[in-house]
Amino acid sequence: MPYSDFTIQTLATYLHLTPQQVERLANRGKLPGRKVKGQWQFSRAEIHHWMENRIGLSGEEELQRVEGVLESHATLAQDEPVLSIAEMLPLEAITVELSARTGGSVIRSMVDLAAKTGTLWDAAKMVEAVRDREEMHPTALENGVALLHPRRPMPSILGEAILAFGRTVSGIPFGGGNLTDLFFLVCSTSDRGHLQTLARLSRIIGAPEVLDQLRAAVNAKEVHQILVDGEANLA
């Protein structure tokens, strides 16, 4: 049952931990779960949100581990492989002239970029979902990058998983401690793909030279090549 709750045993397998480690984390309140008739159960959606939050706080080594866990699980489940960042980011979904000046206009503009590909079928619904996610917890990072996404994957309005990239002329307040000028919109069709894309993007933008290059790029082709090279350089 692919969408059933995790038990201690199945969650341990999924996270590549021992059952004892999972139980200890749960008992300490470090994992979202609940006891039913004395047995721990873990909602699949809540575990994915927990992993998403860990991605935002992780360094390179931990991000590699997260990607490895997700890839191993995909192999066992015989899932489709996650597309590369380069495959998910078409040129028409990239702009270095994002004219938005407010958080709300950034979200609308980024969704419009994604909709240009013809893969996103309901832009209004995506705008609402991304706005709700930002209100729950901002996705802006301290390095001036925001990884916009809805709270859950939205396969019903997507032909396939896609990314969009936009750069504002100057940084704007976007919920983080610093101004934000580089925006990615992550539109996924599965929880695993969503988490893996976030982890991989986080690794790419973790390199300061990549951010410098993105801020200096003059057109969509340059942005795309920078990200292609950044992904190729991952360990």
Side-chain angles (χ1 to χ4, degrees):
M1 297 179 64
Y3 298 106
S4 61
D5 286 348
F6 289 111
T7 63
I8 282 181
Q9 292 288 344
T10 58
L11 184 56
T13 299
Y14 185 74
L15 296 178
H16 288 204
L17 300 173
T18 66
Q20 292 77 16
Q21 288 174 314
V22 170
E23 185 170 16
R24 188 159 53 246
L25 287 170
N27 287 332
R28 293 175 179 175
K30 302 296 185 182
L31 273 173
R34 63 194 183 281
K35 279 192 171 181
V36 178
K37 296 181 180 180
Q39 301 296 318
W40 278 105
Q41 289 188 2
F42 306 90
S43 160
R44 192 169 291 267
E46 289 178 355
I47 289 298
H48 282 144
H49 290 315
W50 174 79
M51 291 182 70
E52 179 182 291
N53 290 334
R54 287 188 68 188
I55 287 171
L57 299 172
S58 297
E60 169 67 13
E61 185 176 342
E62 176 65 10
L63 289 170
Q64 286 190 52
R65 197 189 79 81
V66 170
E67 276 204 81
V69 166
L70 294 167
E71 287 171 1
S72 297
H73 177 72
T75 300
L76 290 172
Q78 297 183 333
D79 287 348
E80 290 293 325
V82 173
L83 297 174
S84 69
I85 298 302
E87 291 173 313
M88 292 176 64
L89 183 63
L91 291 177
E92 61 265 36
I94 300 174
T95 183
V96 295
E97 299 177 346
L98 198 66
S99 58
R101 296 178 181 274
T102 66
S105 59
V106 163
I107 293 173
R108 290 192 298 273
S109 297
M110 291 300 297
V111 171
D112 286 344
L113 269 178
K116 283 184 179 179
T117 66
T119 302
L120 171 60
W121 304 322
D122 192 333
K125 191 170 183 179
M126 181 63 74
V127 167
E128 181 181 4
V130 173
R131 185 184 294 120
D132 288 346
R133 174 62 177 82
E134 290 297 323
E135 290 177 354
M136 181 180 68
H137 192 283
T139 60
L141 306 174
E142 291 183 359
N143 56 10
V145 180
L147 303 178
L148 307 175
H149 57 268
R151 189 167 184 266
R152 293 296 306 274
M154 304 180 72
S156 63
I157 63 170
L158 289 166
E160 62 184 8
I162 56 170
L163 287 171
F165 171 86
R167 187 185 73 200
T168 54
V169 176
S170 58
I172 66 171
F174 203 75
N178 300 317
L179 297 180
T180 304
D181 63 338
L182 303 178
F183 298 88
F184 289 90
L185 173 64
V186 181
C187 300
S188 303
T189 57
S190 70
D191 285 317
R192 182 185 63 83
H194 171 68
L195 292 171
Q196 197 162 359
T197 299
L198 284 180
R200 191 174 299 171
L201 260 181
S202 296
R203 292 180 65 197
I204 293 171
I205 64 175
E209 65 272 15
V210 169
L211 298 185
D212 291 340
Q213 292 167 1
L214 289 175
R215 291 186 168 106
V218 299
N219 55 42
K221 286 185 178 180
E222 282 194 17
V223 168
H224 192 267
Q225 190 60 52
I226 290 164
L227 295 171
V228 168
D229 294 342
E231 187 169 24
N233 289 335
L234 294 179

